[in-house]
């Protein structure tokens, strides 16, 4: 998962674009903390700064001062395994015969390996192992006077989930794949009138922009000084919007696919209270993602909502495991029970999903050790039984506990007194819109887009290990 | 404010003490993020590491490996103005004729300036501007065969608020001032049987320790291999436990002065619902400190509790203000409203205190801009009208809005439709124990301990500015 | 200018290759201090580390440990203007359909801009502005089963001065351009039998290797486990070996083009004593480059040699100019006169060349201020009147004082009592071999290889400015 | 060994003092590269910056900007073993009842341990293990209205070798011990008229200052705005100026104890040619310290001087030893022979001293391997048989090869064909002045000042190990 943000204003707004991108990315920080980067265009050249870490740590005042211009875009990247081969931080910038281009991408292509092989056989040289770079090479091989045309030609060969931004001399271009897997919204900044693009609408609030609309699946929008023009990629019969964005990934104050996330989650919690009631004393969320569903559950069930688990937000990137002596350390370091709220009570624990089961098992144990009389786990989505091929960083199928175990077995594994999931139908009801317009592959296994054989193979892409120094 | 943690085990627990201190400090991170440090004793020498920043950033695996021993203590320090003169990071370590000593201190002395002058006139040379160092010099001037005796002689001359830890060859010594302003708890680690000392009990949970009891006001406890021995400083008639710890500072999962903080806050919220009801649609906390009071208020009033303000936890230390163009930026960067939960509603906002009034004013405005029909501010403590001299970092009297304005004027200033505070009596009722045993100076102005004239003068202490390099 | 070094041994010599490259580069440090890098091949992948700075600062023990393998090559780069656009540090590594390749290059191509344009028009994407990368793209576009063939096909299209090393799975390949502008020597390490390649033979000494021979102009040598095989590029009628290597650039303990540099310089100094004698008391070198010529001059003239100027070797990269108040500061910070050796004497100053004249002017002034009665400047090469297009970093023609001034005018400008240069013929006599086999373009203006029009244009190559963070 | 520099000007020269100190220290860099620091006084407070490393690396433009004032002093420190306990970098700054003081010290006290014990027993707390800090504590214990008086009272109790600078609000004070072991010169900057103090006169040249005179042994000079006033410590019958400064330590362009170092060394070389002639073909110095003696030897003997060993100046602080496979690596990495100048010749090697013998042994071997027919070692001082207690960092007696071996045995150990030293009498003749006015303890064993028993004991001073973070 990643967060992307772009802004394109009047050439008059000289210095501001990168600063606005900085704020937008900061609001999208929950979508990825591993690396971040911003590129700006000042009318004659691109300016780039990327770094490993969080937005507020990487960008200093002087960095933003070195990113002048009225057009900018940026990226926050989620930690993914196996990417240490070479730098995959975004934006990726290149020079082509159409001039300098910068690309930023949220999603996952499903046929990039084959395209990459073809391009390499033809003599293209890749800088990264990122699927994003494939799009740039396709564009470089098919230059057009109009960059949008070159991009659309490239996207016609590409399959997968993507919401992308392209910074060029000709404009800021936003594109969403024909399936519309990932969200991408258009906003307008009050005052400057600049056009904004963001993975989630919460990125608009801080900089005083308001949501205009989402890009349609398959839509390509180019902004030139804030003026928008729209193009369409060849259509698919039905979009496949990612339902998991609502369940877990997005911020509760964002509006995704036409509905506020907080509202959707509360509806899921309420539906869960109706479908899976249980005699209990308190409803306790697993913070932060379970909070709204727990509020919905509590209200619908009439049971008291309690903050029985406190989250510690100070976990740094290199938190040290102090030996093997502390049981459930990985969870305890983040969550601590409030004994007075749990002791002697029958607790309903609300969480958004169970992936491997190990974390849930630890949480249940912690809650029991704090004195809970009973622990009933309620999950505000169906069992996660299939990996995502469209940009969510789930483990392989065999690591997903629900891929091989039924609810009863999972309940036993995590040590709860009872366990219930929300049905797929109820999740989709909470989201609004046609139920067929959502991708629910991680729960149902019915994938809307086939993964190319080369991509499945997953062989090593880059036989080069680099440990370059700062400043290179 | 600061967080302190110490542990003293069997000489057998060789490597573990510093690691446990690391975990304890991590749990106390909310009490200070500016600097941190750990000192360990391995039976023959002290090992020290301090740094500017948060615990998880400063200490790496290799740092902890360089802090061997079975006795350790550490510190997290809150950012305080005017301290850039020279390093004031703790622990402070010195060599005396009694051997090496390390001191760690939470609180604020009220007569350290006079003591410092006297010592300097006598030829003592100070390394820091910290009041903590005064105690070490007093000890160095009055060495005893028994370090505890030397410490007690020194403390007899010192006045103020302190909870301190002293690491020496003779044991880990904990001391709490006779007024008992700041909390200091004794715990026992299961398994190792090591003795622990911490500002708050939440520090015990992560490392599997359980609360034994708090130190009494004026008590000095020495641990030698986990065996405790207790001494007493000359008594005062009545302790003065800091009520503000419960209102704002402590973590909700801590037990302070005999009561769990979450419970106390919920009681304050409920009392506020009884004393200051208002027709409304939702109760919304200002996160994180207002959450439990809001839950109490909502339950007592029967109004729905809603997470209408989302807190962004990714604010780094150097977050950049992007020009003056964004109104209320300093608050918006931390809090974002969930429009769907606020729009068209009459909102009760719950917060723990109003200091200068500027933040509250911005929050009210943000909530109004998100569409609230009415905004009623409720504060779970009395008006903060007097500065704290005992360790809480409040601004000077003239900056406290309640020092010169009545409730009506404050309400107007922050732009709320109504404003109500909780009475002092109701706050103290929620804390348990004798009401006279608490310090409420910040609300009442009645200070239990007089500040020495030299300390009030506040002249510059150290005419030296240092910018030494890493590694010195 | 740059220094290059490569080594290729038996797959048995597992860990050693990068360490040997480190030593080789260290000995070549005088050829460039701006950046350095080493790449190694371990039989299955390339390992890379580059950094800004000197060899001994960039590579730590752990860095070399992360560069395993029996084949390695490295680079030290001289600071050149205009290269901050994007990283140009070498080695450059890429993945092609022939596998991973790393290239290292000393020299300067004269038709790379045109080739780059053609490649870009065809869809190639460049990572750097370095001419070196062009060769890799030409290879990627013309892959062959045999990497040597692919390289030779690429080199057939390339014109200019180069000595290069290519690390591939198929071997370590060394190539020298058909004109043979830059030196490149083959050595053999005693003990391991590994093949070595270096810009100068001084790189062999430290690691116990001995000179076998130089590569011939236009020769391509591939080492596979130390076994050498030789290929030839299309010949040119006459080589053009860089005479300036002997005059200034190479280390005195190196053997270049068949003659030890120290010997050549002493011959030049002696020739200068014969052709430009002057009554004087002492011969003083401008250290370090003028030392051997001064020894030759002193011996031939019978005048005493004196170290009248002391060089300070501690000048860091960011030495601060402390205001404008100190005249001749830029020279004084490096050179200090020994007053006792100069005062009251007639001094012959020996230097290798005069470029802009500003430094010589300052040196003459410093020597006069130290009390010299007369200052006679003697230069051990002809006037530098033309820029180099083949890899020496000379300023543009209009900045070269000898391009527009005769010897008398230069003498007046630098403030010497007399000035004399060594004739071109005498320089070439000192070097040995056929006089026509040397490039003397910087003195004569007769360029052996024409610069392509596109290269002369010198427009901006890369409209992207990057300030990426460490670790990317 | 250390280098010290101070400057005190008119309060008008606002910004310049630290910059001048920077230049002065840079010129003294050869006296110590481990750490450096500068302190400045701006009329109301001290400003300090210290760092590990060389002057040009530690001080950036912005650092000097943060050291305002018209009075400044600095230090470069030589790496000494055993000092990693706590920071010993200088200047040491403290606040006393006389105001802030900064001290800088070159030398070595011989009774500081006893003084330190007494002070600690009295309750003083030390920050460092440095003998320098003792002087500050003695001053703090005996404050006077006049800082000079306080310093002189302190120095009356101190014994040893020192040249020190004290920065105070009352002036810049320079002091030289009554024995006058270490040099300390007074200069006057042209233009500003500021007073300067430096270990060596080469520090004056770069900043346009000229030598006025040396401080007398036992003299204390205070500068107030450049006006000098002189005081005297109780006298000793005869000074003991360090002869080794001339032989090895000082820069050849410095004037020490009234004679230029280059001249003294040339005289030593010439004397050695007369006293220890040998049939040979060339005279080759071990660079850099042997160069001038070699010139003197060559001229006196009529033999040709040749730079047969080239020194590589790029050795960083952490140069890596690449395995044990390369014989004589530690020397080879610094010195490389010029084969053409050595091969087939009878070589006289000139060096300043032999300490352990291991380096000389390696150098002789390298020269033989380069083809020398004979190698005759000539040393421009007597055998170093006794350790220095007055500030030169020599190894313990048992490590000095001359402490237990006669010349013949040493010659055999280092593998030379012959070996000869210069006699003590001839060394002292080359220095000028009364021969009794020099300390020659390292050669003669007759120590002018007895070392206190406590100092000889050398027990561990500080049972605290610190690894504090940057910025503390």
């Amino acid at each position: 998962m990643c967060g992307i943000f772009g802004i394109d204003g009047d050439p008059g707004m000289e210095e501001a674009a990168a600063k606005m991108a900085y704020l937008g990315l900061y609001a999208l920080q929950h979508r990825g903390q591993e690396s971040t980067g911003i590129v700006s265009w000042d009318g004659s050249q691109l300016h780039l700064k990327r770094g490993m870490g969080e937005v507020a740590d990487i960008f200093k005042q002087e960095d933003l001062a070195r990113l002048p211009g009225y057009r900018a875009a940026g990226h926050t990247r989620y930690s993914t395994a196996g990417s240490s081969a070479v730098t995959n931080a975004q934006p990726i910038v290149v020079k082509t015969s159409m001039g300098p281009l910068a690309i930023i991408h949220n999603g996952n292509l499903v046929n990039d390996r084959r395209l990459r092989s073809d391009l390499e056989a033809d003599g293209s040289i890749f800088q990264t192992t990122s699927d994003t770079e494939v799009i740039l090479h396709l564009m470089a091989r098919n230059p057009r006077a109009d960059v949008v045309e070159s991009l659309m030609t490239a996207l016609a060969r590409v399959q997968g989930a993507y919401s992308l931004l392209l910074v060029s001399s000709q404009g800021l271009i936003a594109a969403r794949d024909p399936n519309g897997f990932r969200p991408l919204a258009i906003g307008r900044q009050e005052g400057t009138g600049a056009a904004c693009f963001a993975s989630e609408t919460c990125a608009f609030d801080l900089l005083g922009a308001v949501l205009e609309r989402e890009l349609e699946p398959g839509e390509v929008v180019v902004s030139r000084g804030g003026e928008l023009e729209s193009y369409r990629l060849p259509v698919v019969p039905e979009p496949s919007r990612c339902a998991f964005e609502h369940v877990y990934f997005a911020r509760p104050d964002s509006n995704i696919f036409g509905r506020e996330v907080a509202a959707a989650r509360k509806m899921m919690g309420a539906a869960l209270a109706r479908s899976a009631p249980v005699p209990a004393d308190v409803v306790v969320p697993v913070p932060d993602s379970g909070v709204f569903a727990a509020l919905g559950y509590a209200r619908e069930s009439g049971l008291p909502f309690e903050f029985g688990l406190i989250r510690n937000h100070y976990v740094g990137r290199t938190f040290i495991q102090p030996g093997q002596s502390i049981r459930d350390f990985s969870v305890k370091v983040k969550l601590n029970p409030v004994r007075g709220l749990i002791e002697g009570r029958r607790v309903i624990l609300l969480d958004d999903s169970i992936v491997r089961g190990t974390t849930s098992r630890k949480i249940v144990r912690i809650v029991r050790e704090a004195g809970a009389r009973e622990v009933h786990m309620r999950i505000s989505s169906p069992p996660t039984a299939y990996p995502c091929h469209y940009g969510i960083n789930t483990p392989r199928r065999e690591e997903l506990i629900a891929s091989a175990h039924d609810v009863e077995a999972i309940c036993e594994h995590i040590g709860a007194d009872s366990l219930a999931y929300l049905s797929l139908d109820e999740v989709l009801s909470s989201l609004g819109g046609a139920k067929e317009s959502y991708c629910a592959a991680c729960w149902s296994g019915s994938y809307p887009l086939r993964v190319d054989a080369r991509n499945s193979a997953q062989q090593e892409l880059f036989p080069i290990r680099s440990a370059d120094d700062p400043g290179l």
Side-chain angles (χ1 to χ4, degrees), chain A:
Chain A
M1 287 305 295
C2 301
I4 70 176
F5 181 87
I7 185 164
D8 178 56
D10 194 84
M13 74 181 280
E14 265 312 320
E15 299 301 306
K19 284 178 183 169
M20 295 304 136
Y22 168 78
L23 295 181
L25 293 181
Y26 165 73
L28 297 170
Q29 188 72 81
H30 62 289
R31 295 180 75 87
Q33 297 90 44
E34 199 200 37
S35 69
T36 185
I38 294 176
V39 68
S40 72
W41 170 257
D42 68 358
S44 65
Q45 61 183 9
L46 291 178
H47 301 266
L48 173 68
K49 157 99 184 175
R50 298 175 297 189
M52 300 302 293
E54 299 181 6
V55 174
D57 292 332
I58 296 305
F59 292 100
K60 309 294 171 220
Q61 192 79 50
E62 62 268 26
D63 296 316
L64 295 184
R66 280 191 221 106
L67 296 167
Y70 51 89
R71 181 176 296 154
H75 192 259
T76 65
R77 197 167 80 104
Y78 194 82
S79 170
T80 51
S83 65
S84 53
V86 283
T87 172
N88 281 323
Q90 298 197 8
I92 300 177
V93 295
V94 298
K95 189 202 161 198
T96 69
S97 56
M98 292 173 292
L101 297 176
I103 199 166
I104 288 160
H105 171 207
N106 171 26
N108 204 39
L109 303 187
V110 298
N111 70 335
D112 60 296
R113 297 266 176 145
R114 184 176 302 274
L115 295 169
R116 172 185 285 259
S117 290
D118 293 351
L119 285 160
E120 284 184 346
D122 245 26
S124 287
I125 293 179
F126 280 73
Q127 303 177 30
T128 74
T129 61
S130 160
D131 50 3
T132 313
E133 196 185 353
V134 170
I135 299 170
L136 288 173
H137 279 273
L138 289 172
M139 291 179 70
R141 292 284 180 151
N142 294 285
R144 296 282 193 284
D146 182 354
V147 172
V148 180
E149 262 183 63
S150 172
L151 174 62
M152 291 186 69
T153 312
L155 292 180
R157 295 188 55 192
V158 148
Q159 287 189 310
Y162 57 82
S163 285
L164 66 82
L165 295 172
L166 192 81
V167 179
S168 79
S169 62
Q170 299 180 16
L172 173 61
I173 310 169
R176 194 171 166 212
D177 66 78
N179 289 77
F181 284 105
R182 301 281 135 231
L184 186 57
I186 309 175
R188 182 73 62 182
Q189 193 181 28
E190 292 173 340
T192 69
C196 307
F197 301 89
S199 298
E200 295 184 28
T201 61
C202 65
F204 296 153
D205 296 344
L206 183 51
L207 50 117
V210 294
L211 173 64
E212 279 199 350
R213 63 177 181 89
E214 296 205 333
L215 263 83
E216 295 296 315
E219 187 178 6
V220 175
V221 172
V222 56
S223 165
R224 297 186 182 90
E227 298 294 311
L228 304 185
E229 212 171 324
S230 177
Y231 302 81
R232 291 289 167 154
L233 292 167
V235 292
V236 293
E238 191 74 66
S240 336
R241 303 181 289 179
C242 172
F244 204 65
E245 289 271 354
H246 262 296
V247 167
Y248 166 73
F249 217 77
R251 246 171 67 168
D253 49 340
S254 283
N255 187 311
I256 298 283
F257 308 142
R259 175 155 297 181
E260 201 165 40
V261 173
R265 288 189 187 159
K266 281 169 65 183
M267 288 172 72
M268 294 182 220
L272 193 53
R274 288 188 300 268
S275 68
V278 61
D281 301 307
V282 286
V283 179
V284 169
V286 177
D288 291 339
S289 55
V291 168
F292 283 91
L295 279 169
Y297 194 105
R299 199 156 309 157
E300 182 75 17
S301 65
L303 294 170
F305 169 94
E306 291 288 8
F307 257 108
L309 288 168
I310 299 294
R311 185 162 176 196
N312 189 336
H313 287 280
Y314 294 105
V315 188
R317 253 189 305 159
T318 56
F319 201 83
I320 305 160
Q321 165 85 31
Q324 294 302 333
S325 54
I326 299 177
R327 193 163 71 150
D328 304 333
F329 180 80
S330 64
V331 166
K332 275 184 181 163
V333 81
K334 284 189 200 155
L335 297 176
N336 199 38
V338 186
R339 179 167 282 272
L341 299 175
I342 286 173
E343 198 161 26
R345 303 211 169 135
R346 295 167 301 171
V347 174
I348 297 176
L349 270 182
L350 241 297
D351 208 350
D352 58 85
S353 55
I354 296 177
V355 180
R356 290 179 183 82
T358 45
T359 298
S360 299
R361 182 188 176 100
K362 290 172 185 174
I363 293 173
V364 169
R365 195 152 50 200
I366 287 169
V367 170
R368 281 206 198 281
E369 285 169 2
R373 246 172 58 216
E374 296 174 11
V375 182
H376 302 279
M377 183 68 93
R378 293 296 176 269
I379 304 297
S380 60
S381 67
T384 302
Y386 301 89
C388 177
H389 300 317
Y390 314 123
I392 303 263
N393 193 27
T394 38
R396 284 170 306 151
R397 177 129 216 254
E398 51 274 33
E399 297 177 48
L400 296 169
I401 190 169
S403 72
H405 298 83
D406 61 14
V407 173
E408 199 177 338
I410 298 171
C411 181
E412 191 172 336
H413 176 77
I414 66 173
D417 293 296
S418 78
L419 166 67
Y421 288 89
L422 189 62
S423 75
L424 175 54
D425 193 66
E426 285 166 315
V427 166
L428 298 180
S429 295
S430 307
L431 304 185
K435 289 181 182 172
E436 311 76 44
S437 72
Y438 288 95
C439 173
C442 54
W443 304 314
S444 68
S446 105
Y447 290 98
L449 202 64
R450 213 165 42 84
V451 176
D452 184 272
R454 288 272 190 104
N455 269 53
S456 308
Q458 294 286 356
Q459 85 278 31
E460 175 84 63
L461 256 188
F462 221 66
I464 299 171
R465 295 280 166 273
S466 171
D468 273 8
D469 234 39
L472 285 183

